[in-house]
Every structure is written in structure tokens, then in C-alpha cells.
Amino acid sequence: MTEINSVTTLTQDGDVAVITLNSPPVNALSAKVREGLFEGFKEAIASSAKAIVLICEGRTFIAGADITEFGGAMAGPSLFDVQEMMENSPKPVIAAIHGTALGGGLEVALCAHYRIAVPSARVGLPEVALGLLPGAGGTQRLPRIVGVEAALDMVTSGRHVPAKQALAMGLVDELAEEGKLKEAAVAFANKAVAEGKPLVKVRENNAKLEAAKGHPEIFADFRKANARKFRGFAAPEANIKCIEAAVNSPSFEEGLKAERKLFGELMSGSQSAAQRYYFFAERQANKIPDVADDTPTRPIKSVGIIGAGTMGGGIAMNFANAGIPVVIVEQQQEPLDRGLGVIRKNYERTASRGGITAEQVEQRTSLIKGSLNLEDFKDVDLVIEAVFERMDVKKDIFTKLDAICKPGAILATNTSGLNIDEIASVTKRPQDVIGLHFFSPANVMKLLEIVRADHTAKDVIATSMKLAKQIGKVAVLVGVTPGFVGNRILGQRQREAQKLVMEGAMPWDVDRVLYDFGFPMGPFAMSDLAGLDIGWVKEKSKGETIRDVLCEMDRRGQKTGAGYYDYDENRNARPSPVTEKIINDFIVKSGANPRKISDEEILERCVYPMINEGAKILEEGKAIRPSDVDVVWVNGYGWPVYRGGPMHYGDQVGPDKVLAKMQEFQAKMGDVFKPSMLLEKLVAEGKKFSDFKA
């Protein structure tokens, strides 16, 4: 055995040289790995071996680039140097894949002459998720193997392709038995030598590109079909352009030049910076400074949920999906039956779209039992209360749970903003009480705000964070404050949106600006979707707000065909002259003078107070890091990931500009715009939110 460097060894198995990488945790293409590959291939080519196998130790093949090196100076051999040496090897090179071959890992494997994988392996080019494109020939080699349409789908979705599918697509040449990858790869190499198999260079395979030449409609149709999904993002379009270049360029080298140019543009752009920032932010949110990684957790083998409504049912589905049995308790049979029926329909709808099998529908629904008796919670490990937002109701429930539940059971509330310390105060076990704030629809939305109360035990926090991952949620630990992190910041935007309408902007003006910024929809379109009558009581309505008047006219949103907007039979929205008249009447009644409000002011008025509120939350210690605030907003409220989140966006704009604008608004419109002390401090010290340390 020859040790090439600290992460690479070269051994010989008969006539086959075996280059083995071992760079935990995922064999990422760091400078050390590139050096090991380059020197390893150089020695293997010079050796007496007749073929070369590249294989990795640990849990995966090369899982991608080392993104911690992005933007820094290149050290050692480049990835292109490694690829060139592999591709031009006079001896057959076989890439042996287990785990994942993603991004740069697949780009390396595509420079081998053959690829062999175990059935559990997956391959893909997921750079688009980081606002990038495969920058090492991936967009040029991939369509030469799988064809243009399949390549377009892979590079713009970033999806991981299972090995069996990769075999059918030609990305993999053979499947090996699980656990016997090395033996199978060596046997494949020996066979390749014995049979005199050709040295297949993917770059020279142009047949599938030729088939797409002269058919620009392939790209036009793909763009049109995905326009909604790609809206606002720069990377999908750049990926498409690269594959167009593969088809239309006179040579592989010319296509590669186009890829490198577009990669450079994305790499230096604000979108990729935001998406790479967010990639780390989401992982950082799992780290709680005062809760050690080895904190013991409580076993959660059964869950109780109070409330079979939309929220309770959605929460139950998360646990059933993870194989955890659930008991849902309601007060009466009719709402219980209705809730269980909705759960079944949700599963059946997913099955009809091919998301799960009919067998999984039965398996998951069988894990969810209904009950009218809280006593059925006596043996569960976790109870989540999901009833409406009234403190007296929640206190009553927690008093009963305290008496019924076994010692050590976690008692959680799904409140979206009530004081959890007050809820915990009615129990004799405040250390077991925590907030688990799911977002609606709970079976779809990724975010889980985990709310730590004053007495919440560390093992309860650790258990909740671990459980969130188990049920497929992105968890962020926050503190007790009205609205927690997400809704507290949302309140700032909602207030300004309503005020802007009373000053002369129309709801569709505000919505358009926020939609163009990257949100899925603006606040007024969102209200129409949710229903304007949520929380509105007809008997108490006195026409004091625009919403009151709309509801009194039975304009309650999309469900009634009219709200802030008018809707056609397909629920397509159009500005409403009725709403415009109601607004103008309110403005006249208030004695205000409506004015023309610029798009710039709408954006600043809606977004800068959000950044400022995030800063207040940080200075109060209700969020651990600025990036945690961003994870909440990207996952729970549709903040465009290519803008990183409100705090990252504040850094991009410049905290000094945000402060100056808040001071200007404060002077004109009062202390709701008062800048936070943290914002003032950062600007005074010439720092950014990214410099903040609690």
C-alpha cells in the first residue's frame, strides 16, 4: 500500500490499481482530496496495473465540492486537472459509487470510463440549490449521457437519482451487490481489460446532443413549463443556458467555456451568496450553545394530540409518516370523525399523485387513533395541544394533562404566540413544558418553531430538536415573546401594509412589490386565500376597518369569489373597483390626503421594520443568531431563499442604510419606526448582523 497523502491510498489488487479516498465526513473535494486524486492517478498510470478503480471509504462516494473553500484562493491541483488526468488515462478508469455521488462527485465520476454502483447509491447535480450550476463540466457531460430533456430536469431540480434509475439512464454501467462494491469494481476492471473494452470518454459522445440540434422548442417548452417554479431565481436559467451551449456549441471545449463563464457570474452574484449562506444557516440552527450534542434525549414512541382540526390533523400526519403512533382527542364525535376523514383524504390525494402507495395510506392511517377521552394520554411520551388561541382554554387543558400524563412525558403547546410560561405555571412540571409551533398546513410546511420557556429542561429541548428532524421538519429554537420570532416580525409588515393602503397605495400595489421581491404572494392576496373572516365575528362587526366592510358584504376571500380582489371561476385575481371605492371612502372619512406611493417606499416600509424587529428579538435574546431568524422566515413565511432572510438582506442592503431609513420614517411617522439599539450599535461600530454574537 502506498500512502499518497493523509486522505488517499493506492493499493494494487492483481492487475488493478485501487485509489481509495478517506476524508470524513463526506469525502468532499477539498484541496487535500484533489491532491490525493491527482497524485494517485499519476502513480497508478505509471504503475504496472492495467486498470484503475476509484473508491471511497466511509458512508459515501465524493458527495460534492468543499463549499467552505468557495471564494478562496485555489490551493493544489484544480478539479479540472484531476478530471483531465482521469479522462485521458491510457488505462480504463472505473468509479465505484456508494452513498452519494453529488455535484463535483458526479462530475469526477463522469470522467471515469465506466461507473459501477451499489443499488442504494444516488447520483445528482444539486448545485442549483446553492444558486450555482455544475462548474466542472457537469452541464456538458450529463446531456451527452442522459439526453437533453433528462439533463435539464436534473440540473434545475437538483434531484438525487437512485442507482437503478441511473443504470437505466446510462449514468451507471453496472450495479454491484451491497457490501461488495470493491470486489465487483475490481472484477469489472479485469473484465474490461480482458475484453479490450474501449476507453469511453463521455465528452466525445455527441449522438444525444445531435438529436436536440435544431429543436429550440425543447428549451422554450421547458422554460414555460417551469416558469412559476423558477421565478426570481438566476441559477435555473443559467443551467438551461449551459445545456443549450452543449447542444449548440461547435465543440466540447466551447461548451465548457460557456459553463465556466456562467458559473463565474453566479458565483460572484448576490443570489448564490444568499443561498450558500442559507445552506449553513439551516445547519447552524441545530446547534444550541447551552445544550450539548450529547445531552440525553427522552424516547418518543407514542404521541397524543388535542384537537382534530386542520392543525391537529396535520401535526398527527407528521408523526404517522415517521411510523410513530398517535392518539387524537376531541370533545365530540362529529369533529373527531371529520378530522380523521380529512387525514385519510389527504393521504389518498397524495397516493393518487404517486407520492405514496395505497398500502402506505392504510399503514399511516392505522397509526392514528381517535378518542374522546383525555385519559387515553396516560401512557404517551409527548402530548401536543392544538386548540384555538385562548389562554383560559389552554390552562384548563394543561391542568388536566398534568394530572393524567405519566412522569417524564413532554407537554407541548402549538400556540402561535401566547405566553408559554403562563401555560406552564398551572402544572407541577414546568420543566416538561415546551412550545412546538407548527405552521399550517402542518403536514406540508417545513418550519417548526421550538419555544423554550423559562423552566424547560435541556433534555426536553434536545428531544424536541431531534424529533423535529425525525419528522422532517426544520427546527429553530426561540424564546417566549408575543408571536415568537416569525409572527412578531410578520406583525411589522402587516401593520405597514395596512397603513400604506390608507395613505394611497392599493392592495394590489403592495402585493405586486412584495411578489416581485420574491414572496409567493403579498399580504392582501394571502388574506384572501386564508379567508378574511378568520377571527371576524359578524355580530360584533361595526364596519370599523376595511376588512369589516368586506366581510359584511360577504367578500370573504377566494372562497366567496371576492375579497380584496375579485376572482373568476378559476380563482384568478383581478383588482377590484369595489375594494378601491371602500378604501377611498375610508381615506376621505379619515381626513387624510391620498398620495402616490413609490414601489421603493412600499418595499422599504414593509421590509425594513421587519429587519429592525429581528434586531430587537436578537438583543432580547429571543433568537440565538441572526441566521436563526432567517431560517424561520425562509421556511415559514416564504421569504425568497435567494435573498437569504431578513437579517442577511439587511446586511446586503447595509445596516447603515436600514438605520437611516428607519430614522427618516420615525421622524415622519412616529416611534413604531424607532430603531433597535442593536441596529444603532452595529452601525456605530461599522459591523453587520453577521458579526452579532449573543
Side-chain angles (χ1 to χ4, degrees), residues 457-530:
K458 289 182 181 180
D459 68 333
V460 171
I461 294 168
T463 303
S464 299
M465 296 296 288
K466 179 184 174 186
L467 189 62
K469 198 177 286 187
Q470 193 179 341
I471 62 172
K473 298 298 180 193
V474 174
V476 179
L477 187 71
V478 302
V480 174
T481 180
F484 310 132
V485 168
N487 284 339
R488 179 170 159 182
I489 291 173
L490 179 65
Q492 298 292 312
R493 191 184 82 177
Q494 301 302 82
R495 182 195 68 232
E496 288 311 304
Q498 297 290 344
K499 280 167 57 183
L500 283 160
V501 163
M502 289 298 291
E503 292 170 30
M506 284 294 128
W508 31 94
D509 296 326
V510 176
D511 282 353
R512 174 181 47 77
V513 168
L514 290 169
Y515 180 81
D516 289 347
F517 181 77
F519 282 102
M521 58 179 64
F524 298 100
M526 178 61 83
S527 294
D528 272 2
L529 177 64

Side-chain angles (χ1 to χ4, degrees), residues 68-306:
T68 60
E69 291 187 357
F70 281 11
M74 174 65 67
S78 73
L79 185 52
F80 300 112
D81 295 332
V82 172
Q83 289 176 303
E84 195 177 338
M85 183 164 287
M86 289 175 67
E87 207 164 38
N88 294 328
S89 164
K91 302 170 181 181
V93 175
I94 293 89
I97 300 168
H98 77 294
T100 55
L102 300 175
L106 180 55
E107 289 177 300
V108 165
L110 289 176
C111 290
H113 304 119
Y114 297 98
R115 286 155 295 284
I116 182 169
V118 289
S120 60
R122 289 170 298 132
V123 302
L125 295 171
E127 285 85 351
V128 71
L130 297 176
L132 293 170
L133 55 84
T139 65
Q140 304 305 298
R141 290 185 177 90
L142 185 68
R144 285 172 159 85
I145 290 187
V146 303
V148 168
E149 287 95 336
L152 284 169
D153 169 61
M154 280 182 67
V155 298
T156 58
S157 69
R159 71 185 179 91
H160 300 182
V161 178
K164 285 180 185 173
Q165 192 182 341
L167 178 69
M169 296 167 82
L171 274 171
V172 168
D173 298 286
E174 190 175 287
L175 293 185
E177 190 182 331
E178 294 286 350
K180 296 191 175 172
L181 179 60
K182 184 178 174 183
E183 297 92 320
V186 169
F188 187 99
N190 281 322
K191 192 176 172 193
V193 172
E195 293 179 1
K197 277 183 181 266
L199 301 179
V200 179
K201 293 186 183 180
V202 174
R203 63 186 288 163
E204 293 172 357
N205 181 4
N206 294 317
K208 291 191 173 170
L209 298 185
E210 291 296 331
K213 272 194 174 145
H215 293 286
E217 69 277 5
I218 293 173
F219 298 97
D221 292 348
F222 185 78
R223 285 183 170 103
K224 190 176 174 186
N226 292 282
R228 192 171 170 190
K229 189 166 47 168
F230 298 161
R231 178 180 72 88
F233 286 91
E237 176 57 25
N239 274 276
I240 295 168
K241 282 182 175 170
C242 282
I243 293 180
E244 275 182 319
V247 171
N248 299 321
S249 295
S251 67
F252 177 82
E253 286 72 19
E254 285 299 311
L256 211 52
K257 272 188 205 166
E259 180 189 87
R260 288 181 194 178
K261 177 176 178 290
L262 286 163
F263 179 85
E265 289 171 9
L266 290 176
M267 189 69 188
S268 59
S270 63
Q271 286 202 5
S272 179
Q275 287 174 259
R276 281 179 278 133
Y277 157 83
Y278 183 78
F279 176 86
F280 290 111
E282 200 173 280
R283 283 145 187 80
Q284 187 74 5
N286 290 315
K287 295 176 172 38
I288 315 300
D290 67 329
V291 179
D293 290 345
D294 59 357
T295 301
T297 56
R298 303 184 188 185
I300 305 296
K301 292 178 181 165
S302 58
V303 174
I305 293 170
I306 305 175

Side-chain angles (χ1 to χ4, degrees), residues 198-486:
L199 301 179
V200 179
K201 293 186 183 180
V202 174
R203 63 186 288 163
E204 293 172 357
N205 181 4
N206 294 317
K208 291 191 173 170
L209 298 185
E210 291 296 331
K213 272 194 174 145
H215 293 286
E217 69 277 5
I218 293 173
F219 298 97
D221 292 348
F222 185 78
R223 285 183 170 103
K224 190 176 174 186
N226 292 282
R228 192 171 170 190
K229 189 166 47 168
F230 298 161
R231 178 180 72 88
F233 286 91
E237 176 57 25
N239 274 276
I240 295 168
K241 282 182 175 170
C242 282
I243 293 180
E244 275 182 319
V247 171
N248 299 321
S249 295
S251 67
F252 177 82
E253 286 72 19
E254 285 299 311
L256 211 52
K257 272 188 205 166
E259 180 189 87
R260 288 181 194 178
K261 177 176 178 290
L262 286 163
F263 179 85
E265 289 171 9
L266 290 176
M267 189 69 188
S268 59
S270 63
Q271 286 202 5
S272 179
Q275 287 174 259
R276 281 179 278 133
Y277 157 83
Y278 183 78
F279 176 86
F280 290 111
E282 200 173 280
R283 283 145 187 80
Q284 187 74 5
N286 290 315
K287 295 176 172 38
I288 315 300
D290 67 329
V291 179
D293 290 345
D294 59 357
T295 301
T297 56
R298 303 184 188 185
I300 305 296
K301 292 178 181 165
S302 58
V303 174
I305 293 170
I306 305 175
T310 304
M311 186 57 84
I315 294 170
M317 290 175 72
N318 289 295
F319 292 100
N321 294 349
I324 299 171
V326 179
V327 178
I328 299 186
V329 168
E330 258 293 353
Q331 288 181 303
Q332 294 171 320
Q333 193 67 45
E334 194 273 327
L336 179 61
D337 290 343
R338 186 171 61 242
L340 293 173
V342 168
I343 290 170
R344 174 169 277 281
K345 276 183 192 148
N346 284 340
Y347 279 133
E348 286 172 347
R349 194 178 304 119
T350 305
S352 71
R353 294 172 183 157
I356 56 175
T357 64
E359 187 185 6
Q360 285 173 308
V361 171
E362 298 309 320
Q363 180 193 0
R364 293 178 189 190
T365 51
S366 71
L367 286 169
I368 302 172
K369 307 289 186 202
S371 169
L372 300 176
N373 190 354
L374 281 177
E375 292 288 338
D376 286 342
F377 289 160
K378 66 181 188 303
D379 293 321
V380 301
D381 301 310
L382 163 70
V383 177
I384 302 172
E385 163 276 308
V387 302
F388 48 90
E389 293 286 88
R390 265 182 49 189
M391 182 58 82
D392 58 336
V393 175
K394 291 185 189 285
K395 279 182 163 180
D396 179 56
I397 285 170
F398 272 76
T399 302
K400 289 172 180 168
L401 291 177
D402 192 36
I404 292 166
C405 292
K406 67 184 182 184
I410 296 173
L411 310 183
T413 173
N414 180 55
T415 179
S416 56
L418 294 179
N419 188 324
I420 297 173
D421 290 311
E422 194 177 333
I423 294 170
S425 71
V426 300
T427 74
K428 296 184 185 70
R429 49 171 112 182
Q431 73 279 3
D432 294 337
V433 177
I434 196 164
L436 295 179
H437 178 210
F438 289 80
F439 284 67
S440 187
N443 53 308
V444 176
M445 294 294 283
K446 288 292 237 185
L447 180 66
L448 179 61
E449 271 185 319
I450 296 179
V451 191
R452 168 189 217 158
D454 281 347
H455 300 288
T456 306
K458 289 182 181 180
D459 68 333
V460 171
I461 294 168
T463 303
S464 299
M465 296 296 288
K466 179 184 174 186
L467 189 62
K469 198 177 286 187
Q470 193 179 341
I471 62 172
K473 298 298 180 193
V474 174
V476 179
L477 187 71
V478 302
V480 174
T481 180
F484 310 132
V485 168

